[in-house]
Amino acid sequence: DINGVGQKYHLELVLEDVLDKDSTVNCTAEVLYHLGNNIPPDVQFTIEGELKNAEEADNIFYNRIKSLEKELVAENIPDSHGNVSPEMEPVHLLAWVASGYVIWQNSTENTKFQLAQIKRVKQVKRSDEYLEFDYTILLHEMVSQEIIPWQMTVLWHPRHSVQVTQDSRQPKHASE
Amino acid sequence: QLDFWLAPRGLGHPVDVRVPFPSLQPLKAHLEANGISYSIMIEDVQVLVDHERTDMLRRQRQLLLSTSTFDYATYHSLEEIYAFMDLLVAENPNLVSKLEIGRSTENRPLYVLKFSRGGTNRPAVWIDTGIHSREWVTQASGVWFAKKIVLDHENDEGLASVLDKMDIFLEIVTNPDGFVFTHTQNRMWRKTRSRHSGSLCVGVDPNRNWDAGFGGSGASANPCSETYHGPYANSEPEVKAIVDFVKNHGNIKAFVSIHSYSQLLLYPYGYTSTPVPDQKELHQISEEAVAALSSLYGTSYKYGSIITTIYQASGGTIDWTYNQGIKYSFTFELRDTGRYGFLLPAKQIVPTAEETWLALKVIMQHALDHLY
């Protein structure tokens, strides 16, 4: 507890590769939640060792999307039964990374967000080398149990990190 | 490689062609270069084929003839689950019966399966799944539990000893209106489908509607909220039906309400941080149950009281059942921890049900060994 500033947490955690359970990496982090909860928490972290190299898979995905005739459009990933087609798996993973940013920016000590589903994703054509996707995702907030629609524009290129260039909370329909 | 669906017949007659993806560009270029006009009738034939396949599978599933051919590794509709129940009873009339304990807001029957070797009003275990409709792995697990009881009731020592002295009640679709809604309109629907106080918003959180700390912190008074507690305790027929059943039965010794997701085993209270008098014993049972669960696939669970382990929640099911004197009151939050969340892949249904069953057996065994 830091008087007049907020609450600081020191964390020791293990990062586990979702695609390879045996691949783990130790991590320490410091998270500072500010008083008033209207700014995102500060996060500092250090990783022991290296994260796995995914260059080959990244390039395959990148080239596949680049060579599509029409812009990629998809809905409901995963579907109601939890299925994600192999072609959509990278699109799903990309959303997961990008939603991490959105979640971070909107977290307080009283929230716990998860990406529940991609409702809709639409690729946006670009003239430069980047891939751009316009996602509408559903975030599940554990404490309130709310499902919150969120729009996010995601930029990516294999040699650059994921960027969320724009994001906004969407209104929920009363009839839903 | 062009697949002609309407072959060329002469000048002035149209030709229909299915074009494989790699030939699309060359063909378009060729047609344009030769001044041949074309239009696209079907963008993607595969999409139609996939839809048809799904439709066919759906039609096949409707011809359910026995619980041995039922697919436990997929998610089912309400009709399919209700058909399963009737089949299970028909196949095992000496063990299983179906009770209707009430009707939902939209007038759907609320069914409970009773597993009994006889006797009158024996001490009983209650298990419910699907009280929150979007938690699909729970109803699917409930179906699996029903079949498991029937398969194992004679050859599994633990289960046989439980059924020797106790009855098991299993409500698989505790919130049928919500369940249908998740199939037809909104996969993420949690609550019931009742309309109250002329609000535009529909539904009450059935796990905030019980008479235990009702309306206190940990529930919402806003009808549009996912944790709306409702206008008064037991306003929801789905909840009232269970309340009436439990009170009329009077001899329920263990009560387990199953949810997803988070991988937790919880005991009361949720509405207050005051520990229950039986805290130590319940904690001990939880430890044992979780160890049994993990032993199968290594799935890790945390356990503790609702308020210390998950969050404050008032008007919850097991707080009420505990206060009714049902000492062994537990809530499960099944797989996973957020990767798929409510949209748990169907191939995880059976492993989830299998490991959870081991934990349930620990609880049932303990209740049997410590009847009160």
Side-chain angles (χ1 to χ4, degrees):
Chain A
D1 191 11
I2 302 177
N3 265 329
V5 179
Q7 299 274 77
K8 191 177 224 190
Y9 294 86
H10 176 84
L11 303 169
E12 282 171 26
L13 49 146
V14 178
L15 301 181
E16 182 188 86
D17 188 335
V18 163
L19 302 176
D20 176 10
K21 299 277 167 193
D22 296 325
S23 176
T24 62
V25 137
N26 291 334
C27 175
T28 54
E30 302 231 312
V31 180
L32 172 62
Y33 290 101
H34 297 272
L35 278 177
N37 280 331
N38 39 22
I39 358 174
D42 291 338
V43 179
Q44 307 278 347
F45 67 93
T46 49
I47 297 183
E48 226 179 276
E50 272 169 30
L51 295 174
K52 201 167 75 165
N53 183 303
E55 214 178 294
E56 199 187 324
D58 282 353
N59 287 332
I60 291 174
F61 173 57
Y62 180 79
N63 290 326
R64 180 163 67 84
I65 302 298
K66 267 291 178 192
S67 66
L68 287 177
E69 257 296 297
K70 263 175 90 178
E71 287 77 48
L72 181 146
V73 176
E75 292 183 334
N76 293 335
I77 302 167
D79 67 16
S80 284
H81 293 222
N83 299 315
V84 179
S85 68
E87 307 82 61
M88 285 302 145
E89 191 53 46
V91 173
H92 186 212
L93 292 170
L94 182 63
W96 218 12
V97 174
S99 68
Y101 171 79
V102 172
I103 289 171
W104 166 37
Q105 295 293 295
N106 290 278
S107 286
T108 71
E109 282 168 283
N110 300 309
T111 60
K112 186 172 175 182
F113 288 100
Q114 297 280 2
L115 172 66
Q117 192 184 37
I118 300 167
K119 266 324 263 184
R120 194 171 150 79
V121 57
K122 191 168 175 333
Q123 182 189 359
V124 179
K125 207 144 186 78
R126 286 182 74 93
S127 48
D128 63 16
E129 51 169 9
Y130 281 89
L131 295 183
E132 180 176 334
F133 296 96
D134 182 20
Y135 283 96
T136 301
I137 57 172
L138 295 180
L139 291 178
H140 173 223
E141 201 288 294
M142 194 66 78
V143 179
S144 64
Q145 288 294 330
E146 296 295 333
I147 301 287
I148 307 166
W150 212 287
Q151 177 274 333
M152 57 183 193
T153 305
V154 182
L155 239 52
W156 178 70
H157 180 275
R159 260 163 293 294
H160 304 287
S161 46
V162 177
Q163 284 176 71
V164 176
T165 55
Q166 199 236 331
D167 72 274
S168 62
R169 188 178 173 135
Q170 299 296 298
K172 207 167 173 200
H173 303 281
S175 62
E176 279 183 321
Chain B
Q1 277 210 318
L2 298 178
D3 177 11
F4 287 88
W5 288 8
L6 235 189
R9 339 186 238 145
L11 287 176
H13 292 279
V15 170
D16 294 350
V17 202
R18 180 183 63 81
V19 186
F21 185 79
S23 308
L24 203 51
Q25 275 308 92
L27 181 66
K28 280 182 174 175
H30 179 83
L31 294 173
E32 279 154 28
N34 287 279
I36 302 173
S37 66
Y38 63 88
S39 63
I40 298 170
M41 297 169 73
I42 302 172
E43 283 262 353
D44 186 348
V45 174
Q46 190 62 50
V47 169
L48 295 184
V49 169
D50 289 344
H51 281 158
E52 189 186 60
R53 187 178 301 137
T54 321
D55 283 342
M56 285 174 65
L57 283 176
R58 203 177 296 131
R59 250 173 277 134
Q60 253 174 36
R61 274 193 251 139
Q62 261 140 29
L63 301 167
L64 180 63
L65 296 167
S66 114
T67 64
S68 312
T69 56
F70 188 85
D71 189 352
Y72 296 91
T74 186
Y75 293 108
H76 290 275
S77 68
L78 186 69
E79 296 72 47
E80 287 165 354
I81 295 176
Y82 279 13
F84 162 84
M85 286 185 207
D86 288 337
L87 269 177
L88 195 72
V89 170
E91 291 166 6
N92 305 276
N94 294 328
L95 181 67
V96 197
S97 54
K98 185 177 86 172
L99 313 170
E100 185 175 321
I101 62 167
R103 297 234 145 194
S104 68
T105 291
E106 292 174 346
N107 205 34
R108 293 188 173 86
L110 302 168
Y111 290 132
V112 172
L113 291 177
K114 176 182 181 184
F115 300 85
S116 177
R117 290 249 192 87
T120 315
N121 199 237
R122 286 182 167 181
V125 176
W126 166 283
I127 302 168
D128 66 73
T129 53
I131 193 169
H132 285 143
S133 38
R134 62 190 180 198
E135 299 166 7
W136 276 19
V137 70
T138 70
Q139 299 95 335
S141 294
V143 168
W144 188 92
F145 298 150
K147 180 62 175 175
K148 183 67 169 168
I149 295 171
V150 152
L151 284 172
D152 279 11
H153 77 105
E154 280 170 334
N155 54 43
D156 179 275
E157 217 182 290
L159 183 62
S161 64
V162 167
L163 282 167
D164 230 23
K165 302 271 187 312
M166 302 176 81
D167 293 340
I168 301 175
F169 291 100
L170 175 62
E171 185 175 9
I172 299 175
V173 189
T174 307
N175 177 6
D177 295 349
F179 189 55
V180 170
F181 201 72
T182 60
H183 278 272
T184 56
Q185 302 270 35
N186 181 354
R187 175 63 179 80
M188 296 293 174
W189 190 260
R190 164 185 170 90
K191 303 187 285 183
T192 62
R193 291 294 300 164
S194 59
R195 275 156 226 270
H196 295 280
S197 72
S199 168
L200 273 177
C201 293
V202 176
V204 166
D205 185 343
N207 199 23
R208 300 287 186 281
N209 188 241
W210 301 71
D211 198 1
F214 178 82
S217 278
S220 172
N222 179 352
C224 300
S225 163
E226 295 281 30
T227 54
Y228 174 48
H229 48 58
Y232 51 87
N234 304 328
S235 63
E236 302 312 283
E238 296 83 356
V239 170
K240 180 88 173 34
I242 303 175
V243 168
D244 290 345
F245 180 85
V246 168
K247 283 181 163 170
N248 291 335
H249 187 280
N251 209 17
I252 295 178
K253 299 302 175 191
F255 192 105
V256 183
S257 192
I258 301 185
H259 293 254
S260 77
Y261 59 90
S262 282
Q263 292 173 203
L264 304 170
L265 176 50
L266 307 165
Y267 50 81
Y269 286 123
Y271 75 96
T272 171
S273 49
T274 307
V276 291
D278 300 294
Q279 145 98 10
K280 225 166 154 212
E281 190 184 355
L282 296 183
H283 199 79
Q284 180 60 43
I285 298 169
S286 302
E287 186 177 356
E288 217 186 301
V290 160
L293 187 154
S294 303
S295 71
L296 199 54
Y297 297 110
T299 307
S300 63
Y301 264 61
K302 296 201 184 63
Y303 54 96
S305 69
I306 296 169
I307 197 169
T308 60
T309 313
I310 192 170
Y311 42 54
Q312 184 176 29
S314 62
T317 309
I318 64 167
D319 285 1
W320 179 80
T321 58
Y322 184 85
N323 286 346
Q324 286 298 109
I326 303 174
K327 194 181 357 168
Y328 304 120
S329 290
F330 292 93
T331 281
F332 279 81
E333 291 277 358
L334 303 185
R335 293 194 194 181
D336 58 13
T337 53
R339 170 142 191 224
Y340 289 96
F342 301 122
L343 307 180
L344 195 71
K347 63 178 187 278
Q348 289 198 45
I349 294 172
V350 174
T352 302
E354 285 174 332
E355 65 192 13
T356 308
W357 183 243
L358 297 181
L360 286 172
K361 283 208 292 175
V362 166
I363 294 170
M364 293 194 289
Q365 190 68 54
H366 188 98
L368 175 69
D369 295 338
H370 300 83
L371 279 177
Y372 52 95

